[in-house]
Amino acid sequence: MEAGVRRSPPIWVKTLFPFMAWLPNVNRRSFRTDLMAGLTGAVVVLPQGVAFAAIAGMPLEYGLYAAMVPAIIAALFGSSWHLVSGPTTAGSIVLFSVLSAYAEPGTAHYVALALTLTFMVGVIELGLGFARLGTLVNFISHSVVIGFTAGAAILIAASQLKHFLGMDIPRGLHPHEVLLHIGTHIVEINPYVVAVSVATLVSGLLFKRFLPKFPYMIAAMIFGSVVAYLFNTSLGQAVTGIKTVGALPASLPPLSMPDFSPETIKHLLPGAIAVTLFALTEAVSISRSLAVRSGQHVDGNQEFIGQGLSNMVGSFFSAYVATGSFNRSGVNYAAGARTPLAAVFAGLLLMVVVLLVAPLAAYLPNAAMAGILMLVAWGLIDFHHISLIFKTSRTEAMVLAVTFFSTLLMELEFAIMVGIIASLLVYLNRTSRPNVRVRVPDARLPNRKFNTDAELPECPQLKIVRVDGSLFFGAVNYVAERLREFTEREPRQKHLLMVASGVNFVDVAGAEFLTREATSRRAAGGSLSLYRLKEEPWNTLRRGDYLDKIGWDNVYLNKSEAIADIVRRKLDHDICRHCSRRIFNECKAMPGPEAPLIE
């Protein structure tokens, strides 16, 4: 073995311990780069973790706990080099929606349920990963994610208006009910609280616009806290009514224990499934988008496993549901992270940062938190893609709208399901209606290629169609109906040549449809022929003995062979003698009227 060449670990080692695949590539330079990226990530997550915990109805320190151990485990056992896991807006708001029906937010019972839900989400994610079902997230339309996050943004903003305006608003109201309540109690708005909220909001926007390299959330949090401090010291808290969050525990994440009672698991299972679907969609979509930029291959199944382990382990270290974070993963990549070691450093360094700055939360006003969450809510609405979707696709726009309004009007776990069902219905509608197009040789094209020009003449005995789409149980009725329409329009075309190059998959229903079509046409004096059949459909038809019923001699490899054999063996030559169309080269040799071959 040559000096300096490192041996790659065995495949089984990479499968059980995926970090062994990238760990040998760590060197002094990448270590230093990852350390700085991790430090940046630890600073960025500080205000986000607190804000997301507030959304989730958890004690604020739990948002920071969720960014510690889960980030480390997900980095070590996932497949993405740049994905950073932790608390997210969507995960937090779904968690709140699921648990607020069973316990008062912020209470010990609520926290216990959150940890139990987190463990359940981890088990489901891990099971899906081991079952190699990483492709499941591909069936969740991007429009569902955009619609849900936009709806979640409205809910977040509505839930924070009481802190933003400094007035009491009953819990559990829909956004329009919140606005109606404010309109009827407008005199209760606290101007000092509003001043702090607006100062936080505006400062955050200004820092984001003019000093994008500085963490704008931290800047907004500091500025809002200074304004609140000045108000309280000059006028007194009794006059201003500005309340603060209170000091956070300056401690490492304490050990915790989920509740494994069957009754609790039964109540939380529907919510756990909804959270899992959305969490995995976030994680895999983020990791794949970053992989495109970095040129890395992401294994969806391994990402499922990494996310599952991070939540299972995290639930024993006071962490609620964690998944891939859009913001922190983007910051991690932009900071120059070279390996997942950056996310490991981010989790470890956050523990150090929390020990130092947690007591300062005593100066953080609730109004400043509300202002920051308004910034988060605004950033969640993807105006660009919403506009693009409405311009380009009615069906995707419908899916987005259905998900958006479901998020506003329904429980969030069911809203996600409604969006997913809507996207699947759109997908099924598309796949169940494959293109069935008539094809005709065109003398105007090189080598007389097939064309779909309706003005071109067809053979009076042979119909040529191309099917673009799989022949499965959901599509066979549509294809059969289209073929029936062709037959009613031109009953003399008893022979059918199906161009099958666009058929990727044939199930039992599709195979039986082909045999029925062949049998019925044979009984009517015609035939069914297949041309350019792909390997997978071919194997399905062969294994089920369907080719015996269709006829092995009715399956062709190329167009010339198919048309030559059909014209020679199957067409009625008496009809050919009186045909003036003569669209095939083979028609030249046929006796008939003095009609030249169409050129």
Side-chain angles (χ1 to χ4, degrees):
M1 182 175 175
E2 296 181 10
V5 178
R6 296 172 177 171
R7 294 181 60 185
S8 177
I11 297 296
W12 67 269
V13 173
K14 291 182 180 180
T15 302
L16 294 177
F17 309 104
F19 52 86
M20 294 299 295
W22 54 263
L23 203 56
N25 298 324
V26 175
N27 52 42
R28 182 178 299 176
R29 182 177 178 182
S30 69
F31 184 91
R32 183 169 58 250
T33 303
D34 287 341
L35 181 63
M36 293 308 299
L39 178 60
T40 303
V43 173
V44 167
V45 77
L46 193 63
Q48 288 185 343
V50 173
F52 295 156
I55 295 172
M58 298 285 286
L60 299 186
E61 63 270 20
Y62 280 79
L64 301 175
Y65 298 156
M68 296 177 182
V69 173
I72 297 171
I73 300 298
L76 293 175
F77 291 92
S79 69
S80 174
W81 294 343
H82 301 105
L83 183 72
V84 179
S85 289
T88 64
T89 313
S92 299
I93 196 168
V94 176
L95 182 86
F96 176 82
S97 175
V98 172
L99 300 183
S100 58
Y102 301 109
E104 180 70 23
T107 61
H109 182 45
Y110 186 92
V111 171
L113 291 179
L115 298 177
T116 305
L117 182 72
T118 300
F119 182 84
M120 293 171 66
V121 168
V123 170
I124 297 172
E125 289 175 330
L126 189 65
L128 292 175
F130 282 136
R132 315 299 292 174
L133 295 176
T135 56
L136 275 179
V137 295
N138 295 335
F139 291 94
I140 302 177
S141 167
H142 188 51
S143 299
V144 172
V145 177
I146 292 176
F148 176 81
T149 51
I154 303 297
L155 294 178
I156 291 169
S159 69
Q160 293 303 309
L161 281 175
K162 62 180 180 180
H163 297 303
F164 194 93
L165 301 176
M167 61 186 300
D168 290 329
I169 299 176
R171 283 183 54 228
L173 298 181
H174 291 290
H176 68 279
E177 294 173 327
V178 171
L179 295 177
L180 288 174
H181 181 87
I182 293 172
T184 55
H185 297 77
I186 197 166
V187 294
E188 298 177 10
I189 293 177
N190 185 326
Y192 300 105
V193 171
V194 172
V196 173
S197 302
V198 172
T200 305
L201 185 64
V202 172
S203 62
L205 291 173
L206 291 175
F207 269 90
K208 188 176 183 181
R209 174 70 176 84
F210 297 106
L211 292 173
K213 292 186 178 180
F214 193 89
Y216 70 95
M217 283 191 179
I218 292 181
M221 191 178 289
I222 293 173
F223 191 81
S225 299
V226 170
V227 172
Y229 178 77
L230 293 175
F231 277 144
N232 284 339
T233 53
S234 60
L235 301 174
Q237 190 173 7
V239 174
T240 64
I242 299 173
K243 299 177 181 178
T244 60
V245 168
L248 299 178
S251 65
L252 298 177
L255 296 177
S256 54
M257 177 62 68
D259 179 3
F260 297 118
S261 65
E263 185 178 356
T264 300
I265 293 174
K266 177 183 176 182
H267 285 314
L268 297 181
L269 185 57
I273 294 172
V275 174
T276 299
L277 289 175
F278 204 83
L280 289 178
T281 302
E282 272 196 303
V284 175
S285 61
I286 296 166
S287 61
R288 285 179 178 172
S289 65
L290 291 175
V292 170
R293 300 185 201 176
S294 62
Q296 184 216 347
H297 169 71
V298 171
D299 183 345
N301 295 308
Q302 189 64 49
E303 206 58 59
F304 277 29
I305 292 172
Q307 292 296 314
L309 287 174
S310 73
N311 280 307
M312 290 176 66
V313 175
S315 67
F316 293 97
F317 288 88
S318 299
Y320 73 89
V321 176
T323 183
S325 166
F326 285 104
N327 292 333
R328 294 193 298 282
S329 299
V331 168
N332 188 47
Y333 177 79
R338 303 282 293 275
T339 72
L341 202 58
V344 174
F345 284 142
L348 293 173
L349 291 172
L350 179 60
M351 298 179 188
V352 178
V353 171
V354 166
L355 293 176
L356 298 175
V357 304
L360 298 179
Y363 301 98
L364 177 63
N366 291 329
M369 281 296 304
I372 291 169
L373 289 174
M374 289 293 183
L375 287 173
V376 171
W378 180 260
L380 281 176
I381 303 176
D382 191 342
F383 292 102
H384 171 70
H385 280 101
I386 290 173
S387 174
L388 199 62
I389 289 170
F390 273 89
K391 285 180 182 178
T392 55
S393 173
R394 287 185 179 181
T395 54
E396 289 297 321
M398 180 201 70
V399 171
L400 189 152
V402 166
T403 308
F404 175 78
F405 286 109
S406 297
T407 303
L408 295 181
L409 301 174
M410 302 174 63
E411 298 296 330
L412 288 188
E413 62 269 29
F414 297 114
I416 295 173
M417 297 296 185
V418 168
I420 293 172
I421 291 171
S423 65
L424 287 176
L425 289 176
V426 169
Y427 169 77
L428 290 174
N429 183 61
R430 288 173 179 169
T431 56
S432 64
R433 298 169 63 87
N435 282 326
V436 182
R437 298 181 291 179
V438 176
R439 306 285 282 170
V440 182
D442 191 344
R444 299 167 297 183
L445 299 177
N447 301 320
R448 301 178 61 82
K449 289 184 179 179
F450 283 174
N451 200 346
T452 55
D453 189 347
E455 300 299 321
L456 292 172
E458 292 185 66
C459 172
Q461 299 185 69
L462 175 63
K463 171 72 72 174
I464 304 174
V465 299
R466 175 186 170 116
V467 178
D468 290 323
S470 297
L471 289 175
F472 71 108
F473 65 92
V476 292
N477 287 337
Y478 175 79
V479 176
E481 184 64 23
R482 295 285 288 137
L483 295 183
R484 188 184 65 79
E485 291 174 3
F486 293 149
T487 302
E488 289 180 352
R489 203 174 300 153
E490 187 54 72
R492 295 187 302 167
Q493 290 180 320
K494 299 178 180 180
H495 299 277
L496 175 67
L497 173 60
M498 183 180 292
V499 183
S501 56
V503 179
N504 296 315
F505 169 72
V506 174
D507 68 355
V508 173
E512 291 181 348
F513 156 71
L514 291 175
T515 58
R516 287 197 305 271
E517 191 69 23
T519 302
S520 63
R521 287 184 176 272
R522 193 178 298 124
S527 64
L528 169 67
S529 302
L530 303 175
Y531 140 60
R532 289 186 65 185
L533 196 63
K534 291 185 176 180
E535 182 178 1
E536 186 171 343
W538 167 276
N539 288 333
T540 300
L541 296 175
R542 177 182 56 81
R543 286 194 297 265
D545 297 327
Y546 296 107
L547 284 177
D548 294 334
K549 300 173 184 177
I550 296 172
W552 290 81
D553 57 344
N554 292 326
V555 181
Y556 303 94
L557 296 177
N558 58 67
K559 177 178 68 174
S560 301
E561 176 192 352
I563 293 177
D565 189 57
I566 292 171
V567 170
R568 179 177 59 83
R569 286 197 308 116
K570 301 176 182 179
L571 298 189
D572 187 336
H573 290 185
D574 287 335
I575 296 176
C576 293
R577 289 191 186 95
H578 300 89
C579 177
S580 60
R581 298 179 184 178
R582 306 199 164 225
I583 65 173
F584 304 123
N585 286 324
E586 289 75 11
C587 297
K588 290 180 179 179
M590 292 283 182
E594 296 296 327
L597 182 71
I598 294 175
E599 296 292 347

